[in-house]
Amino acid sequence: MGFKRLLDLIIAIPLLIFISPLWLFIVAWIKVDSPGPAIFRQQRVGLKGEPFTIYKFRTMVPDADRVMKAKIEQLKKEGKFNADEFVFQEKDDPRITGSGRFLRKTSLDELPQLLNIVNGTMSLVGPRPEVPEIVEQYTPEQRQRLNMPPGVTGLAQINGRSALTLTETLKYDVQYVKDWSPGSDIKILWKTIFVVLLGKDAY
């Protein structure tokens, strides 16, 4: 994993410094667009199942996180939680703010995760970190995704992003962990550039 950490720091630290003026503009836009904090913080599950706090620019109304978790818990209670059908982000989700829709389309909402990369809780490339409520539902096979540091982008993000169901995403994540190599990270980073520029399946 020494290669991953070195690549993370070589890219993340200069990028964090370079985008600081843009960061200030985005924070101001979010604050003007809707009430609430500009930075969204949420507990996610990282490497080896360790919890950590992820940072993103807020793209939804302030109580959106509570609504999502309540939805998951209700489905679990009713025995209706189905990973083959569950999708985190709906295309026309009414919880998304005006500024949030643009930030999601351009993936600018992910920029604060550079802080996660610098502090070592995330990597540039890896399985996207999930909330504890979802990780609790993993099969032993799916838990293999926790053997790699979570990433800002990954195999699932260049193969469908928000359009994927949870099961489809997890399959890509496990495949990434099983087949990982330094070259695969570089390939995914390169493809991510084009996916972000096209704004495909981002909502």
Side-chain angles (χ1 to χ4, degrees), residues 10-21:
I10 287 175
I11 294 178
I13 293 176
L15 188 57
L16 191 57
I17 296 171
F18 179 75
I19 58 112
S20 55

Side-chain angles (χ1 to χ4, degrees):
M1 293 302 162
F3 169 84
K4 285 182 72 68
R5 185 60 179 155
L6 180 60
L7 182 65
D8 288 342
L9 295 178
I10 287 175
I11 294 178
I13 293 176
L15 188 57
L16 191 57
I17 296 171
F18 179 75
I19 58 112
S20 55
L22 176 61
W23 188 304
L24 293 174
F25 172 79
I26 292 175
V27 166
W29 185 19
I30 294 172
K31 297 292 287 184
V32 169
D33 184 48
S34 65
I39 301 295
F40 172 72
R41 297 172 176 83
Q42 185 184 53
Q43 181 172 291
R44 298 287 180 95
V45 179
L47 180 65
K48 304 300 182 182
E50 289 296 317
F52 73 98
T53 300
I54 193 173
Y55 304 103
K56 299 179 70 173
F57 284 126
R58 182 174 59 82
T59 60
M60 289 187 169
V61 294
D63 67 341
D65 184 39
R66 178 187 58 78
V67 173
M68 186 274 288
K69 289 188 175 182
K71 176 183 176 182
I72 294 174
E73 289 301 325
Q74 185 63 31
L75 289 172
K76 286 163 58 178
K77 184 183 297 184
E78 297 174 356
K80 296 179 181 179
F81 184 87
N82 186 341
D84 292 326
E85 299 177 357
F86 187 81
V87 176
F88 282 103
Q89 300 169 357
E90 299 175 358
K91 192 169 185 178
D92 298 313
D93 195 323
R95 297 174 300 165
I96 301 176
T97 63
S99 59
R101 200 163 297 281
F102 175 82
L103 293 174
R104 283 171 174 250
K105 188 68 175 177
T106 57
S107 296
L108 291 173
D109 62 315
E110 311 286 357
L111 288 180
Q113 285 162 50
L114 290 170
L115 295 175
N116 287 112
I117 293 174
V118 173
N119 71 23
T121 53
M122 289 183 66
S123 179
L124 284 167
V125 183
R128 285 295 295 168
E130 296 280 21
V131 294
E133 290 82 1
I134 293 296
V135 175
E136 291 171 0
Q137 306 301 308
Y138 283 176
T139 64
E141 170 79 5
Q142 293 167 343
R143 289 193 69 86
Q144 292 183 64
R145 74 191 299 275
L146 302 177
N147 293 332
M148 192 72 74
V152 177
T153 186
L155 195 58
Q157 282 60 55
I158 61 173
N159 285 286
R161 301 177 80 183
S162 301
L164 298 176
T165 64
L166 178 57
T167 294
E168 291 169 334
T169 297
L170 291 174
K171 284 181 179 179
Y172 278 120
D173 290 342
V174 173
Q175 179 185 338
Y176 167 79
V177 172
K178 289 181 176 179
D179 299 338
W180 180 82
S181 70
S184 66
D185 274 9
I186 294 174
K187 184 178 180 180
I188 290 172
L189 283 173
W190 178 250
K191 288 188 175 182
T192 297
I193 294 173
F194 296 98
V195 170
V196 170
L197 289 176
L198 292 174
K200 187 178 180 182
D201 298 320
Y203 45 80

